[in-house]
Amino acid sequence: MADPTEPAAAADGEAAAGATAVEKPRGPRRIGVLLVVAVLAFLIDLGSKLLVVARLENHAAIKVVGDVVTLQVIRNSGAAFGMGQALTVVFTMIASAVIVVIWRIARRLYSLPWALALGLLLGGALGNLTDRLFRAPGVFRGHVVDFISVQHFAVFNLADSAIVCGGILVVLLSFKGSNPDGTVHHQAGKGDGGDRAGKGDRDDRGGQGGETGK
């Protein structure tokens, strides 16, 4: 009499192989996309800062949406949106560390959405780090140029916007279970649950078949 557990074992092996195949990264690495997004974000931020410093600094604010949104140059020694004014050197080191971490992740980057998110983060971090390094009052202590003022909120720049957008995208991708290497980490758990349920059904059928044979 055939062993009823043999088909179940074979099915389990096929399911495990399928789960393994799902977890393998697919497609080309997305370092090129990350770099293009980062360079674009950096250049747009840099160009906007050079323009507003040349045209707006020491001038009256320009109203964009009444008094709600205006353009005015503010030299910021703190982090994004003017936070931590006394920690300029600390934020410079944090920005440098973020850039190193992103570059390490990029070596196993296969996901296009993750490439876009990390590119925005990298471009924004580089934009503000450039100010820290090359603007007055000195290296590592330079003040970041902010110029977009929202009433009752903050004054920020395009690098801050890129960092925020990239951060929100990272949170959404993580919530969905997407990984930078192109895998989806919750799929394996779902597959295991399905395999266990299927195995239980097969065991029940095998037990019923044995009782019928008796």
Side-chain angles (χ1 to χ4, degrees), residues 72-150:
Q72 56 180 326
V73 176
I74 301 294
R75 301 284 180 150
N76 173 22
S77 61
F81 307 109
M83 296 182 294
Q85 298 285 333
L87 302 174
T88 305
V89 176
V90 174
F91 289 126
T92 301
M93 302 306 295
I94 291 174
S96 302
V98 168
I99 292 171
V100 172
V101 170
I102 291 174
W103 186 248
R104 288 177 63 87
I105 294 175
R107 295 183 299 178
R108 51 185 177 83
L109 182 63
Y110 291 86
S111 168
L112 181 59
W114 270 98
L116 296 175
L118 294 178
L120 289 171
L121 288 173
L122 180 59
L126 285 172
N128 284 338
L129 182 61
T130 299
D131 285 357
R132 304 285 187 202
L133 295 176
F134 298 107
R135 293 191 185 276
V139 177
F140 296 117
R141 297 182 295 108
H143 292 179
V144 173
V145 174
D146 289 336
F147 59 92
I148 304 172
S149 177
V150 178

Side-chain angles (χ1 to χ4, degrees), residues 13-37:
E14 293 175 359
T20 301
V22 170
E23 290 300 317
K24 289 181 179 179
R26 293 171 292 180
R29 287 199 296 177
R30 302 295 185 175
I31 296 179
V33 176
L34 183 152
L35 292 177
V36 168
V37 173

Side-chain angles (χ1 to χ4, degrees), residues 46-59 62 72-73 75 135 145 147:
L46 179 62
S48 66
K49 288 173 179 175
L50 292 175
L51 180 62
V52 298
V53 167
R55 299 294 181 88
L56 296 181
E57 193 165 31
N58 301 321
H59 289 75
I62 296 178
Q72 56 180 326
V73 176
R75 301 284 180 150
R135 293 191 185 276
V145 174
F147 59 92

Side-chain angles (χ1 to χ4, degrees), residues 64 68 121 193:
V64 178
V68 178
L121 288 173

